[in-house]
Amino acid sequence: MSEYRITLPGTKAKAYNRISLIILVVNMLAFGLVFFKPGILAGYIAAVVMMFILSLTLFSYIGKNIKLQNKFTIVSIGLSAIAWIILGDYLLAVLMAAMAVVSYYTLQDPILIFSDDGIAYPSFPKRFYTWPQVKAAMIKEDVLTLDLQSNQLLQFTLPAETIAAMNVHEFNSFCRNKQQKS
């Protein structure tokens, strides 16, 4: 096999869910304050529509075993940015747009890709390590270890289902061969 894809465990999912919840609730409260503030009709309409969308987002996930960090939440945060532009608060609009972009990238599955060319590491921005940059790469006792020439050591405990789905001996041989050739 010339390529291995290993999905890393999502260790920060709870934190991302809490942050998404805080962003939605704070936006909901802010749009509630805008509704009671005297202003133009477009501001009232934007506040009411956004309170409806945000409450729909919150109520559809409360009490269910579904993570709040999902595409619908990202769309709600993006729509909040548009509503803040309509209301004339450009700083909040930029902040919400940035939160939507960051949320989109945190939603992606962290997948390490081992190929003939090197290792693609799922960071932001994505990193690529060529085989000459790698001292050692192996899986031993359910722990994936990447030892880099720059004295970085990356270790990940892999779930049992990931280990069961792959041939660990074949993977370690692949990595060893690539390191010896470089």
Side-chain angles (χ1 to χ4, degrees):
M1 186 178 233
S2 64
E3 183 176 281
Y4 289 90
R5 293 177 171 267
I6 298 176
T7 303
L8 299 176
T11 57
K12 298 178 182 164
K14 283 185 180 180
Y16 293 152
N17 277 335
R18 287 186 185 128
I19 290 169
S20 294
L21 178 66
I22 290 169
I23 290 170
L24 292 174
V25 168
V26 167
N27 266 308
M28 182 84 158
L29 294 173
F31 284 120
L33 290 173
V34 167
F35 179 75
F36 290 109
K37 182 178 160 187
I40 58 173
L41 181 62
Y44 288 126
I45 293 172
V48 168
V49 168
M50 283 314 303
M51 287 191 309
F52 176 74
I53 290 172
L54 293 172
S55 62
L56 183 67
T57 303
L58 288 170
F59 289 129
S60 63
Y61 296 103
I62 290 177
K64 298 176 183 162
N65 196 12
I66 302 172
K67 62 182 185 173
L68 188 59
Q69 180 69 13
N70 57 40
K71 291 178 183 175
F72 189 60
T73 301
I74 294 170
V75 169
S76 297
I77 294 170
L79 290 174
S80 294
I82 294 170
W84 287 118
I85 289 173
I86 292 170
L87 291 167
D89 198 337
Y90 302 111
L91 180 62
L92 278 176
V94 169
L95 184 63
M96 287 300 108
M99 288 293 190
V101 169
V102 169
S103 294
Y104 173 76
Y105 280 107
T106 60
L107 194 59
Q108 307 301 316
D109 285 333
I111 299 175
L112 268 172
I113 301 171
F114 293 80
S115 66
D116 291 332
D117 299 327
I119 302 168
Y121 184 74
S123 62
F124 183 75
K126 291 191 178 196
R127 294 186 200 149
F128 187 79
Y129 300 109
T130 60
W131 286 109
Q133 293 175 304
V134 178
K135 280 187 203 175
M138 71 158 94
I139 297 175
K140 184 177 181 183
E141 297 177 9
D142 298 346
V143 176
L144 171 63
T145 302
L146 296 175
D147 188 7
L148 304 175
Q149 296 288 351
S150 63
N151 286 334
Q152 276 186 297
L153 183 67
L154 305 172
Q155 291 187 314
F156 307 97
T157 303
L158 301 177
E161 57 270 5
T162 301
I163 298 295
M166 64 184 297
N167 185 339
V168 174
H169 179 70
E170 185 179 294
F171 171 79
N172 287 338
S173 296
F174 171 80
C175 292
R176 198 174 317 112
N177 287 339
K178 293 300 171 188
Q179 292 158 5
Q180 289 172 353
K181 287 181 183 178
S182 61

